[in-house]
Structure formats: C-alpha cells, structure tokens
C-alpha cells in the first residue's frame, strides 16, 4: 500500500484537526456539546464548487450537528474568474480553497473526484464522452464507502432540465453511486484498496435550487441563539466565499424554507409521509447493539447516553469549568470504545485494517463524537494550543523548529504528556510531562523535516489525462486524499497529548503557521509550506511572437531561495534556433531566504511555428527548473502554482498597420499582454477616468469580456466610448452576459435567449463563412479554415439570439443538433466609425497561444466601415 501514499508524501492526513483560527468560547463549546450524540452522516453531490446547497449543509451540519459533506465532481477549473486573471488549473486551485473556506463556515466537509472541469456543455452525451463514466463512478464509490453516509442528496436530477451537461452527469452518477457502492460484483473491495461495500439507506433530490414537491421541508431561517444567526444567514456567508464566481449575497432575516424529495429508500416506503430525512434510520448509539466488542468497550459504548446526559445536566457556558468532569468522563468512554475498533477510514485505505459495514459505521461515529468531546473539553478547561514556525517557507529536505505552546486559561491544572509533529515519516513524539498551572503556559519545540516535494495542489502533480486528473499508477487503490477528504489534508500539523480532569486526550492542531503582526491589519497566520531550495520562474508560460519579424525582448528570470544560508546561483537560458541572448549565463548571490531578478536580452528572428525558451538555475551542484506563481486573495489561504521555467513561443504570421489600442480589462482577461507580445501598441484604460482621457490618439478601443459587468463606471461613461466611435474610431467589445442586452450598452439592440443563452461549446465546431467578401476575412490577414484549428474549451459564449438590422454578420456556427447562430461577430457602422461585438472566446484562445485566433482578432481591431457597410447576407455554409 505504500504506493498509494507516495503521491501525497508532502501532505498530512489529520482526522478533524482543530484549526488554528477556529472559533472558540461559549458558542463553540455549546455547539460541540449539542453534537455529542449525533451519529448520522449525509453526503450532498453536485458537479461544481458553487452547485452546493449551502442552506441544506448549514442546516444539517450546524443546526442539527449531522456530519455533512459535499462531493463536487470538479474543482471548477473551466469557469470564469471575477476576481483575477487565473483560469484553468489555477482557477481550480482558487475554487477548491473557496469551497474549503465555505465549509469552515457552514460546518461541512469536502470531497472531489478526478474530473477536470472542461467548460460548459449542453448535453449529457458530450459530458459522457469527456469523462469516462466508470472512472468517475469508481472515485464516487470509494468516497461513499469511505464516508459511509446514511443519506445521499443529489443537487441535480440527471435530466435535461438541469441545463449544463455536467449537472446532468452529476445527477445521473449520484443515482448510480447509490446502487454501485453496495455492489461488490461491479466494484469488488479488492479493486478499491479494501473498502467494503456500503448500502446508503436513503436517496433524496435537493429542492433548494429547483423548487417542486418535497418529502421533507425545514425552515433554514431558524435562529440559533448560540451563534446569533439563522442557518440561512450562515449559508449566505458560506456561499459568499465563492468570490471568483460572483456569489456574494446579503444575509436575510425571517423564515426561509428548504426541502428534499425522497426518491429511493432501503428502509422505508418512498411514498409514505415523512417527518425528517432520517425516518426509518436509527441515528442513536443503539444501532450498534449487535456489534461485537470486548466487554469493557461494550460497557463504555452503552454508557455514552448517560454520560451525555451528565454533560447536559452540568451545562454552564458562563462557568464552563463545571463541565470539565462530565466531559472528561465522556471523552474517556469514547476512547475506551475506539481502542477496540480498528477500522477507521484512514486505516482501511492505508491497508492497515478491514472491517464490516457496521463496525466501519461505528468507527466514524466515534471519530466524530470523540473530536467534539475533545474540543469541548479543551474549551471548558480553558486550554488553547498554538503551533508556529519562525518562517513560512522551508526548503525540501530541510527542517524548521515547530513551537507548540499550550496555554491554560482555566481554573485547574492540566498536563501535557506528549507533542508530535505530524510528518512523513513520522517522528517519535516528544515526551513533555509538564503540568501547567492556571494562567500559565508550556512550550515544546520539535523539528519539522520537510519532504522532497513542494507544497502544492496534490492533484496537479501529473499532467492531465484528457479531461481527468492523472494520479499515476495507483494499482487497486484510490488516492488517499481523495477518499479521506480535502478538508482533512494539511501541509503540517501537530498532535498534543493532554491530561484534563484525569482523562488522557489527544488534540490535533493544524495547519502549523508562521504567525506575525502586520501593522495595518494585525495578526497574520500563513501555513507552513515546503518549496525547492531554489525556484526559478519566467514571467509567462505562453507568449506570442511575430514570425519573420525582428524579435527583441527582455526576459526576467525570478529566482528565490528557501535555504537558510546564502546561495550562489547561475542562471542560463536555452534558446531556439534564430534567437541569441546578450549573455550565456548570469550569476546572482541570494541571501538566506532571499530572491532576485536576473535579466536577459534576447534578440533575433523566428520562423512561424512553436518554439520554447527554458531557464535553468544551478546552485550547489544541483539544477533547478521549477518555480511557482503565488496566488493570494484575502478570503482564502495562500496558494502556489508550480510550473517549469519554460515559455512556449507561438510565432504567428500576423500582419497589421497603424494600430494603437486602448484596452479596458474585463473578467479573467489576459488578452492585453498577448497583443503587446505581437508588437501592437496597447494602453490600459481606467474605466473610472475614461471620461477625462484623451481617446483621440487610439485607432481602436477594446473592451474585455464582461467589462461592463466588472466595471460599473464603464456603464456610466459609455457615452464617451460611443462618441469615440462616432468620431471615426473602432470599438471591439468582447462578449457579455444578459446586462449587454439592456438599452444603452451596445449601440444597437440585441437579445439573448433564456433561460440559457446560445453558445457553441464544442471547441472544434465547424465555422462557416456567410459573407466571403467581408474585409474581416482578408484585411490585414487572410483568414482560412486553419485559423479555427486547435481552439480550446469553447468557440463562443452568450451569443445574441436576435440582433438589430444595423449589424452585419460574417460567420455562422453551432453545436451538433443546434440551429445555426450567426452572431459570433457583429459589425455595424456608428457615425463615422465602426462597432464590433464578438462572442468568440478570444479570452481563452489568445492566452492559450492560438495563432489563428490572434490573426482573426487583429482583423477585428483593424475593422472599418468597409466591413460595417456590407450588404446583408443570409445564413449559409461557405467554408473559410
């Protein structure tokens, strides 16, 4: 089984760690106590990070203390980004962290499959062709068998009414996994690392998004007096973590109904009236009465109900020390039972144990109640634990001291028995044997030995395999982090053994953080991360060049040191034929943990085609070719996207003359730098000051994708842009959503279909020319069928369904089975100038380095009234 662990040797799996900044005090204590006797688990299944019903999750996890997890088939890699320019895998990293941030608020857990979000699709059949059904279903079966839910809730119905093909796929496979997880013929345990079959008692369809009939309704607007909020308000705050998708909402007061519809059940009649989602399911400790246990463990298990009653009888959130004794008793009983049960999920997927379904169910129930009891005991006793390091980054194979400080803010002494930094391989715990008096603290230091892998997104360690993440050769095992759950993974954590109220408990704390004070914002906690001793990075990973034109560009190579001593670094560039650098190598001396920029001037000429420039850093006899791009937003933990120090150069036969571009950035917009690389003069325009900007020097103004939605000031100053066109300028507006159909945005009206706008999601869909004489096809570049080759993800989004007669059309395209749409490019005269509206996905194609898309975009930038005043044409099928 060691093979299954090598993939994530840079990660630690921690069972329900106490988060460093997790809420404490009376509210947290009260919530933990209320959840002591809850043993049920619910799994909610959707396709994307923001599909989840946060109201349902918050009501179950926080309101009813049910262990509730969300399984998102994807990480949302194919979406758009309203807060930055990251797309693809980098966006997937952001959206993964947004989901984890949401779960920390609503109390849920988080799972994913290996599916890569390849973008919007209209049909189930297209999605089935991109994601092999058995591969994704196998992941889901493993997760269900590991998590062992009593209820599965599907967000989607699995029918065309779901809209997005990936939604339909998630709905179909949610129903498949309900049956398949119990099927040992189709999915033998031996093919899933020993995970035994699990028969989920009930399957529901969520009604939060869709409405319709329900079997069970509940008021998520119920007020929680401990938290001071309703569960609907908590859910809104949770959902607002999806900032990259613009999901921010305003918490509302008052009743808010949600519900679910029972579709399948192994324990009840699906047509019978229901009072709760758990009708027919024993969610008490009594369901384990037939599990064979040693006498002492059986006695402890049977005593948990009375022990919980004693905790409730002593409940006093104002004087929590009164609850220490009964909580200590409860924790001691739980640990006595757990010592006799050897089939936790971690043990099973590690090949250490096997167990029957009821024993596995008991193991997870004990893990949940044990964690809650330990958290409550520490809160009642006034014990807080900090695990910190003196710096954020540690070099691979290096070490850093971890300081574990235990504070006793209670009224009675507590003892620290051991401290163990969780790492691979694990070190023996430090025996502490320290008694901490009230009002004092104890500190233990233990080294953290960094692994030989950097801290990064574990699912990106291998290149994509089609539209799925590749986890390498796992044999008959599923990847450990996939079945354990994303919320249980830490780069570093600590386990602290404590004696409180005469009971020995272990508290897991993670992640280990670098903690410091920022003079403006106060406390900052940044998780410990591992990096190569030297990282080397070029500014871009894809660039354009004009073929057969002089190439003269300065490349900045950024080198960083994670080493604790000064390092001499030699940097060299490997260049393609036709290019030369002003120096073969350059040297830099980096101080400990320092960084520097090394500059090379590269010149020459490139023929059309694909080439690359590679940077290599050498230090201490080692070669380094890997670097990282920091990804930092205030609502998520810091991320690092690792890539090789290589630039792919796409040399394009592109002509243009007399262009000077003013550019207003849109959403997830990386088009502007790609134009600059082609030698086109580009100036970024600030929408807030565009009314005070002299636009007369520009030939063309470009508005990035969804620019009007991203910049309210642009709407206010739209008349300035239209005056620019009327005076003889050209405006190229990239696609927008429904706001663009409102009067006053575009110069002439358009409409978009509802509930789903027209789009062409097949990136290889045929593009037909319907006006062969249009100058947009010939000036300055002659556009052919080859220019539409190798596009990525999609052709066109939010295409107008109808449009004003002032517009002229050039292209017609559609997905299989859809009617033709001629609105990928609309061009119209406006005064003395020209207005171009395009829904082609240039915001994806240009950053991907597609040569044909660049040539076509240049033609749009060069548009004039010769194209705008063409005679109207009917839709046809003339090839370019």
């Amino acid at each position: 089984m060691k093979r299954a662990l090598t993939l994530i040797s840079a990660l630690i799996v921690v069972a329900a760690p106490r988060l460093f900044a997790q809420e404490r005090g009376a509210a947290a204590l009260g919530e933990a106590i209320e959840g002591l006797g809850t043993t049920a688990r619910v799994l909610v299944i959707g396709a994307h990070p923001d599909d989840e019903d946060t109201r349902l999750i918050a009501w179950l996890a926080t309101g009813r203390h049910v262990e509730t997890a969300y399984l998102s088939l994807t990480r949302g890699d194919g979406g758009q980004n309203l807060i930055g320019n990251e797309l693809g895998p980098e966006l997937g990293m952001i959206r993964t962290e947004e989901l984890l941030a949401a779960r920390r608020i609503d109390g849920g857990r988080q799972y994913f499959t290996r599916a890569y979000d390849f973008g919007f699709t209209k049909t189930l059949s297209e999605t089935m062709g991109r994601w092999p059904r058995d591969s994704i279903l196998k992941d889901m079966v493993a997760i269900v068998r590991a998590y062992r839910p009593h209820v599965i809730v599907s967000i989607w119905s699995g029918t065309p009414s779901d809209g997005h093909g990936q939604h339909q796929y998630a709905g179909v496979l949610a129903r498949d996994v309900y049956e398949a997880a119990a099927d040992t013929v189709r999915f033998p345990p031996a093919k899933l690392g020993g995970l035994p079959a699990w028969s989920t008692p009930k399957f529901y369809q969520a009604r939060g998004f869709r409405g319709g009939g329900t079997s069970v309704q509940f008021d998520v607007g119920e007020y929680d007096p401990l938290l001071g909020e309703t569960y609907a308000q908590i859910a809104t705050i949770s959902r607002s973590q999806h900032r990259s998708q613009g999901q921010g909402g305003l918490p509302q007061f008052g009743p808010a109904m949600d519900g679910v519809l029972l579709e399948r059940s192994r324990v009840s009649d699906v047509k019978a009236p229901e009072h709760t989602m758990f009708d027919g399911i024993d969610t008490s400790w009594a369901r384990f009465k037939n599990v064979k246990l040693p006498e002492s463990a059986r006695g402890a298990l049977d005593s948990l109900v009375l022990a919980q009653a004693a905790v409730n009888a002593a409940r006093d959130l104002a004087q929590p020390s009164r609850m220490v004794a009964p909580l200590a008793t409860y924790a001691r009983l739980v640990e006595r039972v757990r010592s006799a049960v050897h089939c936790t999920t971690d043990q099973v997927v590690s090949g250490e144990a096997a167990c029957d379904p009821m024993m596995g169910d008991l193991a997870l129930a004990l893990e949940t109640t044990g964690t809650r009891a330990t958290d409550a005991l520490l809160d009642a006793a006034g014990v807080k634990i900090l695990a910190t390091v003196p710096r954020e980054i540690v070099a691979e194979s290096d070490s850093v001291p971890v300081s574990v400080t235990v504070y006793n803010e209670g009224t009675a002494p507590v003892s620290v028995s051991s401290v163990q930094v969780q790492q691979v391989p694990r070190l023996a715990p430090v025996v502490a044997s320290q008694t901490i008096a009230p009002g004092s603290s104890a500190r233990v230091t233990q080294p953290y030995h960094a692994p030989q892998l950097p801290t990064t997104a574990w699912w990106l360690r291998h290149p994509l395999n089609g539209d799925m993440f590749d986890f390498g050769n796992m044999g008959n095992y599923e990847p450990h982090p996939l079945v354990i759950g994303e919320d249980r993974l830490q780069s570093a954590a600590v386990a602290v053994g404590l004696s409180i109220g005469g009971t020995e408990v272990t508290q897991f704390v993670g992640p280990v953080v670098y903690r410091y004070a920022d003079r403006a914002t106060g406390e900052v906690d940044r998780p410990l991360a591992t990096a190569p001793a030297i990282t080397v990075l070029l500014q871009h990973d894809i660039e354009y060049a004009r073929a057969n034109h002089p190439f003269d560009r300065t490349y900045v190579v950024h080198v960083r040191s994670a080493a604790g001593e000064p390092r001499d670094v030699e940097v060299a560039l490997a260049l393609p034929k036709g290019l030369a650098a002003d120096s073969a190598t350059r040297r830099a001396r980096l101080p400990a943990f320092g960084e520097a920029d090394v500059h090379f001037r590269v010149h020459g000429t490139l023929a059309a085609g694909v080439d690359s420039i590679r940077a290599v850093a050498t230090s201490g006899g080692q070669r380094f070719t890997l670097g990282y791009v920091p990804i930092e937003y205030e609502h998520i933990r810091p991320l690092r996207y690792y890539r090789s120090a290589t630039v792919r150069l796409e040399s394009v036969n592109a002509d243009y003359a007399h262009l000077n571009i003013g550019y207003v950035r849109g959403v997830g917009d990386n088009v502007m730098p790609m134009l600059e690389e082609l030698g086109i003069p580009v100036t970024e325009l600030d929408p807030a000051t565009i009314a005070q900007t002299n636009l007369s020097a520009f030939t063309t103004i470009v508005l990035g994708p969804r620019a009007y939605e991203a910049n309210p000031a642009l709407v206010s100053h739209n008349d300035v842009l239209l005056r620019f066109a009327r005076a003889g300028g050209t405006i190229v507006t990239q696609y927008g959503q429904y706001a663009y159909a409102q009067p006053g945005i575009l110069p002439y009206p358009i409409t978009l279909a509802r509930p789903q706008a027209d789009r062409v999601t097949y990136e290889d869909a045929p593009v037909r020319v319907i006006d062969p004489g249009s100058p947009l096809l010939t000036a300055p570049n002659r556009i052919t069928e080859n220019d539409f080759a190798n596009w990525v993800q999609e052709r066109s989004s939010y295409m107008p369904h109808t449009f004003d007669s002032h517009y002229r059309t050039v292209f017609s395209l559609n997905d299989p089975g859809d009617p033709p749409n001629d609105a990928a490019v609309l061009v119209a005269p406006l005064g003395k100038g020209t207005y171009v509206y395009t829904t082609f996905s240039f915001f994806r194609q240009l950053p991907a380095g597609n040569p044909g898309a660049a040539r076509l975009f240049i033609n749009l930038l060069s548009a004039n009234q010769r194209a705008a005043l063409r005679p109207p044409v009917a839709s046809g099928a003339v090839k370019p």
Side-chain angles (χ1 to χ4, degrees):
M1 177 52 201
K2 297 301 181 186
R3 174 171 34 190
L5 295 178
T6 57
L7 176 71
I8 56 159
S9 60
L11 294 173
I12 301 299
V13 177
V14 179
R18 190 71 181 265
L19 299 178
F20 183 83
Q22 188 165 314
E23 182 182 359
R24 302 172 188 272
L29 175 56
E31 293 291 309
I33 290 172
E34 288 181 359
L36 287 181
T38 306
T39 65
R41 292 178 297 279
V42 172
L43 181 65
V44 182
I45 300 177
H48 307 107
D50 56 351
D51 288 356
E52 92 275 49
D53 185 343
T54 53
R55 302 203 308 176
L56 174 62
I57 294 172
W59 185 80
L60 284 169
T62 302
R64 298 301 177 266
H65 309 290
V66 172
E67 185 93 341
T68 307
Y70 177 53
L71 168 56
S72 175
L73 299 195
T74 76
R75 298 173 186 270
D77 329 76
Q80 297 177 23
N81 184 359
L82 271 68
I83 60 174
N85 296 330
E86 298 88 355
L87 294 173
E90 292 172 85
L91 179 59
M93 293 172 65
I94 291 172
R95 297 189 70 184
T96 295
E97 275 298 319
E98 288 180 334
L99 264 184
L100 293 174
R103 297 294 81 83
R104 289 192 288 270
I105 290 168
D106 60 34
R109 296 196 54 208
Q110 187 59 54
Y111 290 91
F112 296 95
T113 74
R114 71 186 66 213
Y116 177 78
D117 181 359
F118 54 84
F120 185 86
T121 175
K122 301 171 186 173
T123 66
L124 175 62
S125 60
E126 181 187 358
T127 310
M128 289 287 189
R130 305 285 289 263
W131 291 338
R133 185 169 183 161
D134 281 352
S135 295
I136 306 302
L137 183 58
K138 182 182 178 184
D139 289 349
M140 297 173 71
V141 167
I143 290 166
V144 168
R145 289 184 179 182
Y147 183 66
R148 302 164 187 141
H150 302 97
V151 171
I152 290 176
V153 180
S154 175
I155 296 295
W156 302 109
S157 67
T159 67
S161 65
D162 294 334
H164 198 320
Q166 293 179 9
H167 293 168
Q168 298 177 50
Y169 185 97
V172 168
L173 263 67
R175 288 155 178 82
D176 278 359
V177 78
Y178 175 78
E179 305 294 344
D183 188 343
T184 57
V185 175
R186 188 175 179 187
F187 292 97
K191 297 293 186 180
L192 287 171
L195 286 168
W198 176 256
S199 298
T200 300
K202 301 175 80 172
F203 181 95
Y204 286 90
Q205 164 76 56
R207 289 303 197 192
F209 290 161
R210 308 173 62 86
T214 61
S215 305
V216 180
Q217 276 195 322
F218 34 85
D219 182 10
V220 296
E222 177 187 347
Y223 180 73
D224 188 317
L226 273 177
L227 301 177
E229 297 173 297
T230 69
Y231 304 117
Q233 290 169 340
I234 294 170
T236 300
I237 298 170
S238 168
R239 190 165 189 80
S240 295
Q241 302 310 300
H242 296 290
R243 297 188 190 181
S244 69
Q245 305 306 298
Q247 294 292 316
L250 184 66
Q252 301 293 323
F253 294 86
M257 301 306 296
D258 202 342
V260 291
L261 176 67
L262 181 63
E263 284 192 6
R264 305 182 189 185
S265 176
R266 294 183 169 102
V267 295
S268 62
D269 182 352
V270 296
K271 297 181 180 179
E274 289 200 306
H275 299 289
T276 76
M277 294 171 62
F278 303 101
D279 284 1
I281 303 172
D282 186 352
T283 59
S284 71
W285 295 112
R287 77 172 181 272
F288 303 114
K289 61 185 177 182
N290 294 323
V291 174
K292 292 183 179 180
L293 294 170
E295 184 176 346
S296 61
R298 168 54 59 188
L301 180 60
D302 293 343
S303 299
L304 285 179
V305 173
L306 289 177
Q308 183 182 348
V311 171
N312 291 332
R315 177 177 172 135
D316 187 341
L317 299 181
Q319 298 291 330
S321 60
R322 298 175 182 177
M323 293 184 283
V324 168
L327 280 169
T329 298
Y330 189 93
R332 185 164 57 250
L333 291 171
V334 171
E335 189 53 38
R336 188 183 303 167
V337 186
R338 292 183 72 180
S339 65
V341 177
H342 299 288
C343 63
T344 65
T345 300
D346 190 39
Q347 290 171 321
V348 172
V349 300
S350 299
E352 299 173 11
C355 56
D356 61 56
M358 285 305 296
M359 187 67 82
D361 186 8
L362 175 59
L364 291 185
L366 289 169
E367 180 183 288
T368 299
T369 201
T371 297
R372 292 171 177 173
T374 300
D375 288 348
L377 180 58
L378 265 69
D379 283 342
V383 175
K384 296 183 180 179
I385 305 172
L386 301 183
T388 61
V389 284
R391 63 181 186 274
E392 180 183 358
I393 303 292
V394 59
E396 293 175 3
S397 302
D398 199 357
S399 64
V400 63
V402 178
S403 294
V404 181
T405 307
V406 181
Y407 297 88
N408 182 359
E409 298 176 334
T411 60
V414 299
S415 297
V416 180
S417 57
S418 64
V419 172
Q420 184 180 39
V421 175
Q422 305 289 288
Q423 56 191 306
V424 179
R426 291 187 177 180
L427 301 180
V430 173
V431 178
S433 300
Q434 297 185 50
T435 298
I436 309 172
S440 60
S441 63
R443 177 174 297 175
V444 176
T445 299
Q446 188 180 24
Y448 171 77
H449 295 283
Q452 294 182 354
L453 284 173
T455 303
T456 187
W458 66 270
W459 61 92
L460 296 177
R461 295 203 184 280
H462 297 276
L464 282 170
N465 181 7
D467 291 307
M468 298 193 301
F469 295 111
D470 187 350
F471 302 139
N473 182 14
M474 302 295 295
N476 290 329
Y477 294 96
E478 286 287 284
H480 203 172
L482 185 138
V483 296
I484 288 293
E486 203 76 27
D487 56 299
R488 297 292 175 91
L489 304 178
Q490 305 285 352
S491 56
V494 297
V496 181
L498 300 161
S499 178
I500 303 174
T503 294
E504 299 289 332
V505 295
T506 299
Q507 178 70 71
F508 293 93
V509 178
V512 175
V513 298
Y514 169 50
R515 183 173 184 246
Y516 67 95
D518 182 281
R519 293 181 65 86
T521 61
E523 180 181 352
V524 178
D525 303 317
R526 298 179 66 89
L528 175 64
T530 300
I534 301 294
T535 55
V536 54
L537 191 71
L538 287 159
Q539 288 177 295
H540 307 122
D541 56 351
I542 298 173
E543 290 183 356
Y544 279 134
R546 286 186 78 188
N548 304 310
H549 281 72
F551 183 100
D552 191 345
R553 198 170 291 179
T554 296
Y555 282 91
V556 180
V557 183
H558 188 70
V559 287
R560 306 174 193 253
S561 173
E565 67 283 334
R567 297 285 292 259
D568 291 315
V569 180
E570 183 178 271
V571 180
L573 290 185
L575 300 173
K577 181 181 179 181
L579 296 184
D582 58 353
S583 176
T585 62
R586 295 205 188 279
R587 292 177 173 80
R589 182 166 178 80
L590 300 181
F593 316 118
E595 54 190 287
D597 286 334
V598 178
H599 297 75
F600 291 86
R601 186 173 180 182
V602 177
H603 55 88
T605 304
L606 288 170
V610 181
D611 287 296
S612 65
I613 294 176
R614 292 179 291 109
V616 178
T618 304
S619 180
Q622 291 180 284
R623 296 176 77 253
F624 300 92
T625 60
L626 197 65
Y628 63 83
V629 179
I631 302 175
E632 305 224 2
Y633 294 98
E634 64 177 4
H635 67 302
I636 60 174
R637 295 177 296 191
L639 300 168
R640 295 167 185 84
Y641 176 66
Y642 277 85
R643 57 179 170 85
S644 64
T646 301
V647 176
R648 193 187 95 209
L649 280 174
E650 187 75 47
S651 301
V652 183
N653 281 318
D655 292 325
Y656 57 84
H658 311 303
L659 286 178
N660 188 17
I661 309 299
Y663 199 103
V664 178
R665 283 188 186 265
V667 171
D669 188 358
N670 292 308
V671 169
M672 190 177 80
M674 307 306 291
L675 298 178
E676 292 174 320
E677 290 161 7
L678 289 168
I680 299 173
V682 184
T683 301
E684 183 170 3
L685 302 177
D686 181 356
T689 61
I690 204 165
Q692 291 79 47
T693 303
N694 181 6
L695 304 180
S696 63
F698 300 113
T699 59
T700 308
I701 291 177
V702 179
L703 306 182
R706 301 175 64 182
Y708 286 102
E709 300 167 67
N711 303 290
L714 194 61
V715 178
S716 303
H717 300 315
N718 197 39
D719 60 326
V720 176
L721 296 176
L722 298 181
R723 283 201 304 269
F724 166 81
R726 290 189 180 102
T730 297
I731 293 180
V732 176
T733 298
Q734 297 175 67
Y735 95 99
Q737 296 187 355
Y738 290 97
Y740 283 44
Q742 297 175 3
I745 299 298
L746 301 184
Y748 309 109
I750 63 169
T751 67
L752 276 73
R754 290 183 182 272
Q756 181 59 59
D758 298 344
R759 59 203 301 171
V760 178
T761 62
Y762 282 75
E763 61 267 32
D764 56 355
V767 178
R768 301 174 295 275
V769 169
I770 55 178
D771 184 7
S774 174
L776 296 180
L777 297 172
T778 57
N781 300 289
R782 180 167 295 279
I783 302 303
T784 72
E785 189 174 10
N786 292 336
D787 291 305
F788 293 98
N790 301 315
W791 282 37
V792 298
Q793 186 160 322
E794 60 194 350
R795 284 285 195 207
S796 187
S797 295
Y798 286 85
M799 304 173 75
H801 192 66
T802 65
F803 46 86
D804 188 87
S805 60
H806 284 87
Y807 291 110
R808 296 295 179 261
T809 59
V810 183
F811 302 104
S812 182
L813 59 159
N814 56 275
D815 279 331
D818 287 354
N821 186 300
D822 303 343
V825 173
L826 299 177
V827 57
L830 188 59
K832 298 178 181 179
T834 307
Y835 198 100
V836 178
Y837 182 62
T838 178
T839 60
F840 274 133
S841 59
F842 290 111
F843 77 103
R844 295 195 189 277
Q845 310 313 321
L846 269 66
N850 185 277
R855 288 161 42 83
L856 176 59
F857 198 73
I858 290 172
N859 283 15
L860 300 187
L861 299 179
S862 307
N864 56 37
Q865 291 204 339
R866 290 179 54 237
L869 295 174
R870 295 281 300 165
V873 295
S875 178
V878 181
K879 285 189 176 183

